[in-house]
Amino acid sequence: MHEEKELEVKLAIRDPEVARRVLTSHGFEYEDTCLEVDIYYAHPCRDFVKTDEALRFRTRKCNASSHYAVSYKGPRERGITGLKIRTELEIVVDELAWTTLRSIMEKLGFKPIAEFAKMRELYKAPRMKATLDTLFGVGFFLEVELDRMEDVTKLNDLLGKIERNTAISTIDKTYLEICLETGKCRPRVE
Ligand code: ATP
Ligand code: CA
């Protein structure tokens, strides 16, 4: 089976405007702004908290495009400091397939355990992606994703700049964990 590894860093930040400027000065181009709503499921007999896995149904509605996606996230692997590495399998499907697959999972005993929304600005640079995220009820975050481990020096350069200017801290937690722990996330924008 083909497995995709996701390599990413998440930072809590103070000021999205500062992060925007740093991204742009490092060759990132703004692509789109999206409202993402994620629904995470619990397995009927396997504890995803213990196994550090996740099953997620996502809607992403952007200014320029939209999609429905279903993802499996595997357990975090040991990465260099701050870098999260995990298997990510994702399919993008149409709305009917997305809704039907949710019904199939629910009939099989999977239970929705959390639903929350964030506003996401998407940025792109060669072999790198970044998102500037507003997690409603919680705060601002920046994520940077690498296609290849070889670009880690470029990433560190960018992160150094962010850290000096607007970062609060590097976050090892997923948004799901942040939402479950704080209890402050919201399923939609009011
Ligand atoms: P977690 O806290 O578990 O990381 P998350 O909500 O950040 O949760 P991800 O799967 O990391 O979930 O979401 C980031 C997604 O956004 C990835 O699939 C990534 O490839 C995609 N992405 C990031 N930047 C862009 C971009 N510029 N264009 C399109 N997709 C992007
Ligand atoms: Ca992420």
Side-chain angles (χ1 to χ4, degrees), residues 6 8 10 29-32 34 36 38 40 54 56 58 60 67 71 73 84 86 88 90 116 118 120-125 128-131 133 143 145 147 172-178:
E6 172 189 65
E8 73 170 29
K10 190 197 303 274
E29 280 181 17
Y30 169 80
E31 294 203 302
D32 214 347
C34 312
E36 269 184 8
D38 290 333
Y40 284 87
R56 179 183 72 202
R58 164 171 290 173
R60 179 186 271 182
H67 78 212
S71 301
K73 297 264 202 167
K84 220 180 323 148
R86 56 196 313 193
E88 182 180 39
E90 181 166 275
F116 56 89
K118 61 174 142 28
R120 213 160 213 182
E121 281 173 35
L122 306 179
Y123 292 82
K124 182 95 186 69
M128 281 199 214
K129 288 178 193 157
T131 63
D133 301 332
E143 287 200 347
E145 198 176 304
D147 285 352
D172 188 48
K173 294 191 170 102
T174 66
Y175 285 121
L176 174 62
E177 288 165 338
I178 295 170

Side-chain angles (χ1 to χ4, degrees), residues 13 22 28-29 52 65 68 75 79 87 93 99 108 112 115 117-118 123-124 129-130 150 154 166 179:
I13 58 166
V22 177
F28 280 84
E29 280 181 17
D52 193 19
S65 67
Y68 292 80
T87 295
V93 294
T99 311
L108 289 171
E115 177 174 346
K118 61 174 142 28
Y123 292 82
K124 182 95 186 69
K129 288 178 193 157
E150 289 86 327
K154 258 169 58 190
T166 189
C179 289

